[in-house]
């Protein structure tokens, strides 16, 4: 019975730790996402109300806060976790690295798909522009040729050799 009670206590402790860690990881990831988005915003357009010094300070404080939270978590998992969990921090780090690699690969593939889609769209636009240019050139040449025929038909030289030309009969 003591073994069952000990197992139940360990299970409760693990569930409690898991609950707190889940909240911590969610907050940590939100902070990382916020820092990443702020960096992207800064690269695209500068906020006129935010000075360079303030922006740099905000980034440094966010990074320091992430480091502090991670250090606190590591110490808690290494020194305060039950012995039954073993080297949980080392296993966690290995799994986190693996998940980051998987996510990076997925993000790389999505980025590649977006670039391919942009290339295809640009290629289609280029082909349409080339076809429109060709069509316009052919129409221009046809119109130029018809205008030339009308000018020849209406010219004095042609009129002198033949009787009254009609404007509507270009090749008569």
């Amino acid at each position: 019975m003591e073994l069952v009670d000990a197992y139940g206590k360990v299970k409760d402790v693990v569930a409690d730790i898991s609950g707190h860690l889940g909240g911590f990881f969610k907050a940590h990831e939100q902070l990382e996402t916020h820092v990443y988005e702020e960096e992207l915003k800064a690269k695209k357009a500068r906020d006129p109300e935010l000075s360079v010094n303030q922006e740099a300070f905000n980034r440094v404080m966010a990074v320091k806060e992430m480091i502090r939270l991670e250090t606190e978590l590591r110490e808690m998992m290494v020194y305060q976790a039950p012995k039954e969990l073993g080297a949980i921090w080392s296993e966690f780090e290995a799994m986190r690295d693996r998940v980051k690699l998987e996510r990076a690969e997925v993000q790389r593939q999505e980025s590649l798909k977006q670039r391919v889609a942009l290339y295809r769209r640009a290629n289609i636009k280029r082909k349409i522009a080339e076809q429109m240019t060709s069509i316009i050139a052919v129409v221009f040449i046809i119109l130029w040729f018809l205008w030339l025929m009308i000018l020849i038909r209406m010219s004095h030289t042609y009129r002198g050799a033949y009787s009254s030309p009609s404007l509507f009969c270009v090749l008569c």
Side-chain angles (χ1 to χ4, degrees):
M1 291 305 280
E2 288 179 19
L3 187 60
V4 172
D5 287 339
Y7 177 72
K9 288 179 184 178
V10 169
K11 192 174 180 182
D12 291 341
V13 168
V14 169
D16 188 40
I17 289 172
S18 295
H20 291 299
L21 289 178
F24 169 80
F25 292 138
K26 187 174 183 178
H28 190 270
E29 192 166 323
Q30 287 174 347
L31 188 57
E32 282 181 339
T33 304
H34 176 71
V35 168
Y36 179 72
E37 287 173 355
E38 288 297 319
E39 287 176 358
L40 285 180
K41 275 189 212 174
K43 288 179 183 178
K44 291 181 181 177
R46 191 179 82 76
D47 186 5
E49 296 178 10
L50 193 64
S51 72
V52 173
N53 295 331
Q54 188 178 8
E55 185 177 337
F57 183 75
N58 289 345
R59 284 190 197 177
V60 167
M61 290 307 294
V63 169
K64 287 207 176 282
E65 182 67 15
M66 284 191 304
I67 292 170
R68 185 190 67 78
L69 289 173
E70 190 167 331
T71 303
E72 191 176 298
L73 174 68
R74 184 184 70 241
E75 288 175 356
M76 184 184 79
M77 288 179 78
V78 169
Y79 300 116
Q80 297 174 3
K83 294 176 185 176
E84 293 82 11
L85 293 177
I88 187 92
W89 181 256
S90 300
E91 293 171 12
F92 162 74
E93 282 185 325
M95 186 59 69
R96 179 177 60 180
D97 292 341
R98 193 164 100 197
V99 169
K100 279 184 179 181
L101 288 174
E102 290 170 355
R103 284 188 179 183
E105 178 64 23
V106 167
Q107 189 176 19
R108 187 190 66 77
Q109 289 176 354
E110 288 176 359
S111 175
L112 182 65
K113 285 179 185 177
Q114 289 175 351
R115 285 191 309 230
V116 166
L118 285 174
Y119 173 76
R120 285 183 180 160
R121 251 184 266 137
N123 200 19
I124 289 171
K125 285 181 182 179
R126 183 185 53 78
K127 285 181 179 180
I128 289 173
E130 288 174 357
Q131 289 174 349
M132 290 302 293
T133 303
S134 300
I135 290 170
I136 290 171
V138 168
V139 167
F140 177 77
I141 290 171
I142 290 171
L143 290 175
W144 177 78
F145 182 74
L146 287 174
W147 180 250
L148 185 64
M149 291 292 115
I150 290 172
L151 286 177
I152 291 172
R153 180 79 171 138
M154 300 299 289
S155 72
H156 292 292
T157 307
Y158 187 81
R159 222 188 292 171
Y162 304 100
S163 62
S164 64
S166 170
L167 180 63
F168 301 107
C169 182
V170 175
L171 300 175
C172 296

